[in-house]
Amino acid sequence: DVKVTQSSRYLVKRTGEKVFLECVQDMDHENMFWYRQDPGLGLRLIYFSYDVKMKEKGDIPEGYSVSREKKERFSLILESASTNQTSMYLCASRVVGDNYGYTFGSGTRLTVV
Amino acid sequence: ELKVEQNPLFLSMQEGKNYTIYCNYSTTSDRLYWYRQDPGKSLESLFVLLSNGAVKQEGRLMASLDTKARLSTLHITAAVHDLSATYFCAVAIGGATNKLIFGTGTLLAVQP
C-alpha cells in the first residue's frame, strides 16, 4: 500500500513564526498536493507539484509556499504564520495516469496562537 | 471557477432508512470521486466514477455519475451506525495533472 506520511499530527505555533509542514510518500508518485480543510468549506487546494522542482498554485496559495527538491518529499511553508492559517492540512499524492484518485496522509492539525 | 456543491451538508438518519447525497459541479469533467472521512482521520477512497452512466456499489453504498447533468449521487441503503462519517465528492480537472476539487462534505449521523 502507498503510504503518505505527514511528519506532525499536531502543531502549535506562534503568530509570525516560519512553519514547515513535511510530507513524504513512498511509492514514487509524480504528483503531490497540499490541501487545507476547514469546517463548512471542504478541502481547498493550496499548491501542487507535478514533478520534482515543479509547482503550481492552487486555489488559495496566499501566505504559503512549497518546496519539492526530491520526488518523495513535498513541503508546505508558512512564511509568517497567522491565526487565520489555523486549520487541518492534508497532503496527498498520485501517480500520473492513475485514475484512482489520491492517497492522503493522516493530516496535520496546525494551531497558530 | 469550478464549483462543487454537495447537499445536504448535514444528514441525520435512522438506522434502516435510505437516503441520497447529491453532488453537483459546474464544469465539464468525466471523473468523479467519493471519499469518506471519519472524525480525526484522513480521507479514504470509496468510489471512482470514470464515465457517464457509471455506477459503483460497495455494501450499502451506491454511487452514480451523470456527466450531462453534472451530477453524482451517493445512495445509502438501510443505513447502519458504522456509516456515520463525513462524505466528500471531488471532481477531477486538469488533464494529466488531475487536480481534485472537493465539495464541502456531507456529515452523516446514523442514529440507532
Side-chain angles (χ1 to χ4, degrees), chain A residues 22-25 27-34 48-56 65-77 91-96:
Chain A
E22 305 289 346
C23 175
V24 177
Q25 50 94 2
M27 284 298 290
D28 206 34
H29 284 181
E30 293 91 348
N31 297 167
M32 296 187 74
F33 305 82
W34 275 105
F48 64 100
S49 169
Y50 44 90
D51 211 333
V52 178
K53 297 190 187 292
M54 311 289 255
K55 60 187 179 185
E56 280 197 30
S65 62
V66 290
S67 172
R68 191 153 179 217
E69 295 296 318
K70 295 185 177 181
K71 195 171 189 178
E72 66 270 20
R73 184 181 298 270
F74 191 35
S75 303
L76 180 69
I77 304 157
C91 175
S93 74
R94 68 177 284 269
V95 63
V96 173

Side-chain angles (χ1 to χ4, degrees), chain B residues 27-91:
Chain B
T27 195
T28 302
S29 175
D30 59 1
R31 289 165 290 157
L32 189 132
Y33 303 80
W34 284 96
Y35 287 87
R36 167 181 173 146
Q37 186 180 39
D38 292 298
K41 300 287 180 70
S42 191
L43 275 73
E44 172 193 353
S45 179
L46 290 176
F47 298 109
V48 180
L49 303 168
L50 299 176
S51 61
N52 185 41
V55 177
K56 295 276 184 76
Q57 182 161 6
E58 179 76 30
R60 300 174 188 272
L61 300 177
M62 183 172 71
S64 65
L65 178 61
D66 181 343
T67 58
K68 292 177 183 176
R70 298 179 184 172
L71 170 69
S72 179
T73 61
L74 181 66
H75 186 73
I76 303 151
T77 302
V80 293
H81 180 70
D82 283 353
L83 290 179
S84 298
T86 301
Y87 293 84
F88 290 94
C89 65
V91 174

